[in-house]
């Protein structure tokens, strides 16, 4: 087993001097582990921290405090009565763990207050997955969400009003809280979700990846030299596939998803969409389909900074949700991340190939595609692209177009073909761009796969030779010549679509290599 030391961020929290903290991060980012680490720390279990930053590099005294640790993901939402029963049971269970004797009731807030009174000393309260029951209730179409909100609001108000009994409070979940919702009483929360000092507190930085997993990378490279031009190429491919999550507009630090990286190495360095297979939120993708946000596949939508602060998961309705709210939800759930940040606007985009592929495959069902068929085509396309097999790539692309409904593909215009081609590459796990700018124009579609760079010019009912000639005359390949000198292969591909058949009729290719 391997533990990546993040206790320096706990030390940073304690040095800040506040007592109430909130943090949001997507699922599978180590929030629960962080909460368990906080619990062990405040319970004074110094032996568990030997060799770690907070024990070796700080003067923290490991004083022991009673800890109440809740994970709201375990609360049932089958009915309001069952929700209240499991909520009350969770609170009463903490009193039992602390050796207290309080009156059991169906009012979680009252029991929490009784616990704090009975302890006789300041306690630590940790709440993990605060929003899990609300998301579950929304997804399942429950009608009692407003009642749930009331119970949560009362619970949190007791925490605020009994501050003299609380040493430290930490609450976390996927989505950002709103001060106008269930947290209306808690105006003392310090939100560190976008604080640059905690941008790399969850997930692995590249230095951590290379430092902790460097030997595994070396071993895989030595055993597969024929697949990679260099060790750097292997690292670059890992970076493209799993890095890119940026959690603060005030720093450009990005991190790798820890679960994806762990499974990647456990599976012999096999590239796959591990994150999407570990129970990430389907609500965001469902809303994106309904709100027709297909544009996020080929552009970086801009969102005002206020959209993140006003977000309230408890107020979301599947049938009536504004685009900005869906974009914010896609950010919080990890499907989008910060790509560019200005004074008031944040541009969002896919963090990496893994997420882009997973999200695009989910969206493909909007275009009459079978998810299973789309995944099958994408898996084979990945191998063709990385193998430089343009012929097979074009055959698979036609299979992709065959899956689209006739209403999607135009009889006259290139744009629908361009967009579906872009979705095809993204779903296949290949970094791709639409309308990439060059000195003399824009490339319709470009895509990179290992040592292969593909540049596509598209025409409807025109010669593929004409399309290829446009690439050459406008020297779309010019910006990629430095890569050619490093051993990359550039494929210039002119593609002709038939408006009658609504598929690729023919293509022409020329290759530039060292």
């Amino acid at each position: 087993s391997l533990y990546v030391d993040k206790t320096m961020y706990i030390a940073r929290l304690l040095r800040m001097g506040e007592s109430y903290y909130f943090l949001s991060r997507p699922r599978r980012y180590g929030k629960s582990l962080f909460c368990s680490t906080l619990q062990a720390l405040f319970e004074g279990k110094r032996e568990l921290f030997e060799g770690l930053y907070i024990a070796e590099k700080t003067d923290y005294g490991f004083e022991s405090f009673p800890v109440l640790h809740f994970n709201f993901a375990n609360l049932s939402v089958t009915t309001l009565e069952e929700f209240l029963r499991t909520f009350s049971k969770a609170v009463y269970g903490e009193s039992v763990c602390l050796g207290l004797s309080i009156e059991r009731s169906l009012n979680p807030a009252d029991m929490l207050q009784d616990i704090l009174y009975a302890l006789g000393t300041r306690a630590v309260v940790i709440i993990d997955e605060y929003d899990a029951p609300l998301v579950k209730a929304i997804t399942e179409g429950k009608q009692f969400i407003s009642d749930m909100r009331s119970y949560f609001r009362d619970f949190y108000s007791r925490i605020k009003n009994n501050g003299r009994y609380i040493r430290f409070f930490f609450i976390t979940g996927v989505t950002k809280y709103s001060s106008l919702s269930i947290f209306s009483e808690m105006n003392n929360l310090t939100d560190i979700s976008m604080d640059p000092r905690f941008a790399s507190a969850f997930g692995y930085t590249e230095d951590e990846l290379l430092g902790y997993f460097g030997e595994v990378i070396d071993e895989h490279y030595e055993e597969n030299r024929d697949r990679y031009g260099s060790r750097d190429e292997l690292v670059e491919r890992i970076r493209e596939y799993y890095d890119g999550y940026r959690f603060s507009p005030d720093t450009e630090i990005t991190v790798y998803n820890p679960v994806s990286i762990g499974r990647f190495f456990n599976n012999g360095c096999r590239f796959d969409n591990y994150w999407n297979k570990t129970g990430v939120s389907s609500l965001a993708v469902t809303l994106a389909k309904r709100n027709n946000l297909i544009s996020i596949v080929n552009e970086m939508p801009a969102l005002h900074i206020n959209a993140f602060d006003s977000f309230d998961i408890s107020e979301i309705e599947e049938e009536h949700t504004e685009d900005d709210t869906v974009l914010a939800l896609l950010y919080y759930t990890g499907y989008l991340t910060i790509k560019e940040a200005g004074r008031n606007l944040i541009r969002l985009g896919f963090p990496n190939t893994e997420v882009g592929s997973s999200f695009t495959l989910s969206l493909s069902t909007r275009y009459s595609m079978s998810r299973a068929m789309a995944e099958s085509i994408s898996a084979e396309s990945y191998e063709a692209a990385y193998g430089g097999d343009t012929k097979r790539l074009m055959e698979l692309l036609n299979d992709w177009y065959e899956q689209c409904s006739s209403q999607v593909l135009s009889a006259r215009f290139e744009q629908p073909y361009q967009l579906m081609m872009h979705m095809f590459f993204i779903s296949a796990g290949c970094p791709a761009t639409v309308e990439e700018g060059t000195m003399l124009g824009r490339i319709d579609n470009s895509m990179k796969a290992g040592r292969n760079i593909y540049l596509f010019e598209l025409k409807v009912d025109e010669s593929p030779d004409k399309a290829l000639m446009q690439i050459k005359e406008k020297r779309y390949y010019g910006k990629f010549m430095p890569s050619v000198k490093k051993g990359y292969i550039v494929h210039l591909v002119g593609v002709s679509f038939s408006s009658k058949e609504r598929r690729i009729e023919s293509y022409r290719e020329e290759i530039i290599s060292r």
Side-chain angles (χ1 to χ4, degrees), residues 50-291:
E50 295 297 332
L52 301 182
Y53 180 93
I54 198 164
E56 305 298 330
K57 301 290 182 66
T58 76
D59 59 356
Y60 183 71
F62 289 89
E63 181 182 356
S64 179
F65 296 89
V67 178
L68 288 80
H69 185 173
F70 303 100
N71 187 331
F72 285 171
N74 299 323
L75 302 186
S76 171
V77 298
T78 53
T79 64
L80 179 61
E81 292 73 20
E82 187 65 10
F83 161 73
L84 192 55
R85 186 190 70 79
T86 55
F87 193 1
S88 301
K89 181 181 178 181
V91 179
Y92 185 77
E94 289 301 300
S95 74
V96 174
C97 290
L98 293 170
L100 302 175
S101 178
I102 66 169
E103 183 178 350
R104 189 165 187 172
S105 75
L106 285 178
N107 191 318
D110 283 350
M111 284 195 293
L112 173 66
Q113 185 163 295
D114 290 345
I115 291 172
L116 295 175
Y117 287 170
L119 283 172
T121 185
R122 291 194 303 162
V124 171
V125 181
I126 299 169
I127 298 177
D128 191 15
E129 303 278 11
Y130 91 89
D131 52 348
L134 293 165
V135 173
K136 197 184 305 180
I138 294 167
T139 304
E140 296 181 10
K142 302 300 182 182
Q143 302 300 311
F144 51 82
I145 294 177
S146 61
D147 294 314
M148 291 174 64
R149 284 200 298 264
S150 297
Y151 283 110
F152 280 129
R153 190 179 297 114
D154 190 17
F155 187 79
Y156 295 127
S157 70
R158 304 300 179 93
I159 293 173
K160 165 69 185 304
N161 296 333
N162 289 280
R164 63 188 180 279
Y165 298 110
I166 294 178
R167 161 68 179 86
F168 186 88
F169 176 75
F170 185 80
I171 183 168
T172 185
V174 171
T175 57
K176 171 79 161 61
Y177 77 95
S178 170
S179 59
L180 301 177
S181 62
I182 58 176
F183 295 100
S184 57
E185 299 290 328
M186 298 197 71
N187 57 3
N188 58 339
L189 274 176
T190 298
D191 183 8
I192 60 172
S193 303
M194 286 189 173
D195 190 320
R197 293 170 293 182
F198 297 93
S200 53
F202 297 79
Y204 304 144
T205 64
E206 180 138 320
D207 286 343
E208 288 170 335
L209 177 84
L210 299 178
Y212 286 93
F213 301 96
E215 290 186 10
V216 184
I217 293 173
D218 289 339
E219 290 173 6
H220 181 70
Y221 172 65
E222 290 300 327
E223 294 171 359
N224 297 272
R225 280 179 170 266
D226 58 321
R227 295 178 59 189
Y228 308 103
S230 65
R231 181 182 184 274
D232 287 345
E233 183 182 320
L234 170 59
V235 172
E236 181 183 6
R237 195 181 298 190
I238 297 172
R239 183 187 306 120
E240 289 176 345
Y241 221 95
Y242 301 113
D243 190 18
Y245 294 90
R246 179 180 168 187
F247 294 118
S248 172
D250 299 317
T251 177
E252 294 187 358
I253 291 174
T254 61
V255 294
Y256 293 76
N257 178 272
V259 168
S260 296
I261 286 296
R263 297 197 175 189
F264 170 74
F265 287 118
N266 285 337
N267 284 279
C269 297
R270 181 170 63 85
F271 290 91
D272 200 354
N273 299 343
Y274 300 108
W275 178 77
N276 199 56
K277 298 175 181 178
T278 58
V280 295
S281 172
S282 61
L283 175 61
V285 177
T286 300
L287 290 174
K289 289 180 184 178
R290 291 181 179 176
N291 286 48

Side-chain angles (χ1 to χ4, degrees), residues 289 294 360-378 396-406 408-409 416-417 419-425 427:
K289 289 180 184 178
I294 188 61
T360 305
L361 282 169
S362 296
L363 278 188
S364 65
T365 58
R366 186 186 181 102
Y367 299 94
S368 302
M369 290 191 191
S370 155
R371 173 68 186 255
M373 179 62 72
E375 287 180 344
S376 175
I377 295 171
S378 296
L396 290 164
L397 184 54
N398 261 341
D399 291 343
W400 180 268
Y401 287 124
E402 293 283 358
Q403 295 295 311
C404 299
S405 63
S406 60
V408 174
L409 300 176
Y417 298 98
L419 175 60
M420 297 310 295
M421 178 183 282
H422 184 64
M423 288 183 66
F424 168 75
F425 293 139
S427 68

Side-chain angles (χ1 to χ4, degrees), residues 381-439:
S381 301
Y382 176 86
E383 297 299 329
Y386 276 86
D389 189 348
T390 307
K391 181 176 183 295
R392 183 58 184 146
L393 199 60
M394 293 295 99
E395 292 171 349
L396 290 164
L397 184 54
N398 261 341
D399 291 343
W400 180 268
Y401 287 124
E402 293 283 358
Q403 295 295 311
C404 299
S405 63
S406 60
Q407 290 82 7
V408 174
L409 300 176
S410 169
R412 299 175 54 195
F413 302 109
E414 299 167 8
Q415 286 83 353
Y417 298 98
Q418 181 186 34
L419 175 60
M420 297 310 295
M421 178 183 282
H422 184 64
M423 288 183 66
F424 168 75
F425 293 139
I426 295 294
S427 68
C430 303
T433 306
V434 172
E435 300 289 345
E436 183 166 358
T438 69
M439 286 184 63

Side-chain angles (χ1 to χ4, degrees), residues 454-469:
Y454 298 83
L455 310 181
F456 297 90
E457 180 64 28
L458 314 183
K459 299 293 181 185
V460 176
D461 293 333
E462 294 188 66
S463 164
D465 296 302
K466 180 178 179 181
L468 179 61
M469 185 60 67

Side-chain angles (χ1 to χ4, degrees), residues 2-21:
L2 181 67
Y3 181 78
V4 177
D5 185 5
K6 295 286 188 176
T7 59
M8 68 285 290
Y9 297 103
I10 296 179
R12 187 169 294 171
L13 271 181
L14 299 178
R15 286 197 300 268
M16 287 170 64
E18 303 293 337
S19 298
Y20 291 75
Y21 292 99

